[in-house]
Amino acid sequence: MTRRQPPHQSLLASIPGASSTRRPSPAPVDQWDPPVSGEMDMQIVRDGTWYHEGDPINRMALAQLFASILRLDDDGRYYLVTPVERWAIQVDDKPFVATQLKTEGEGEEQKLTFTTNLEDSVEADPEHPIRVELDPDTQEPSPYVLVRGNLEALIGRNVFYQLVELAVEREHHGKTCLGVWSHGSFFPIDGN
């Protein structure tokens, strides 16, 4: 894959709605299939910070704009996609981090709403499940919630502790699990 850098303005100019002062909605990147243009020197580290050419992107609006054209392809790579360009970028874990949790209701009727570092909100439900992977060596949990498409947010440690406080034991797929309810669905959080 080519490592040449795109002209920054050309990529931004090809994003539909990029000139708007409103926060961009996610673009229909699943409908676009331009050829791979190369690899951009852009990285999203595990804490959700976006970097371009080694420097953090400090403008929230710019990170939100790039996030609106982000896609995870079947090859396991993340791309910034416009109708005419597709640039591979590096993502250390997941592109977003859930930094806040709002809880409404109790028990099976409880609703859990996550807010990400880029101010996206998502309610956990069957279309936006919570899942937890355990590191095979350390057994350390990595919890995630699906934000949109196939893009997930890593649930931040402080938010995960809030989930643990809300957790109840329940029989789930033949095992007793520790988990949380949201929108009538049970989500195990103990890695089982």
Side-chain angles (χ1 to χ4, degrees), residues 6-184:
H8 211 56
Q9 277 65 24
S10 82
L11 180 65
L12 293 177
S14 64
I15 300 173
S19 60
S20 172
T21 56
R22 295 183 301 122
R23 178 160 182 227
S25 298
V29 293
D30 58 322
Q31 298 173 18
W32 301 333
D33 194 26
V36 175
S37 304
E39 180 131 1
M40 182 183 289
D41 187 5
M42 187 173 284
Q43 178 181 17
I44 307 170
V45 297
R46 195 166 200 263
D47 72 3
T49 304
W50 289 60
Y51 287 85
H52 181 257
E53 296 181 350
D55 294 323
I57 297 175
N58 294 318
R59 289 183 40 221
M60 171 76 77
L62 187 56
Q64 290 171 334
L65 181 63
F66 284 128
S68 74
I69 60 166
L70 185 65
R71 183 172 84 191
L72 173 60
D73 281 0
D74 291 339
D75 64 2
R77 297 287 317 265
Y78 288 88
Y79 295 90
L80 297 179
V81 183
T82 72
V84 295
E85 296 177 286
R86 180 166 45 138
W87 292 93
I89 67 168
Q90 177 69 40
V91 177
D92 289 353
D93 189 353
K94 301 298 177 188
F96 310 114
V97 177
T99 57
Q100 297 176 21
L101 174 65
K102 178 181 164 194
T103 307
E104 292 180 42
E106 295 180 357
E108 294 182 27
E109 302 307 311
Q110 177 173 263
K111 294 179 184 173
L112 302 176
T113 303
F114 296 89
T115 302
T116 73
N117 59 314
L118 295 182
E119 300 177 348
D120 290 306
S121 288
V122 62
E123 290 186 3
D125 61 20
E127 288 78 39
H128 303 94
I130 298 168
R131 69 181 186 87
V132 177
E133 288 182 8
L134 293 179
D135 182 284
D137 298 324
T138 66
Q139 295 299 297
E140 182 178 342
S142 290
Y144 305 101
V145 62
L146 187 63
V147 176
R148 67 173 185 269
N150 60 354
L151 299 176
E152 292 181 305
L154 172 68
I155 297 173
R157 187 176 303 272
N158 62 328
V159 175
F160 187 61
Y161 289 153
Q162 290 176 288
L163 289 179
V164 170
E165 289 177 16
L166 296 169
V168 294
E169 277 192 352
R170 179 175 187 272
E171 189 80 13
H172 186 72
H173 297 297
K175 292 183 184 178
T176 301
C177 297
L178 194 61
V180 294
W181 288 95
S182 186
H183 280 277

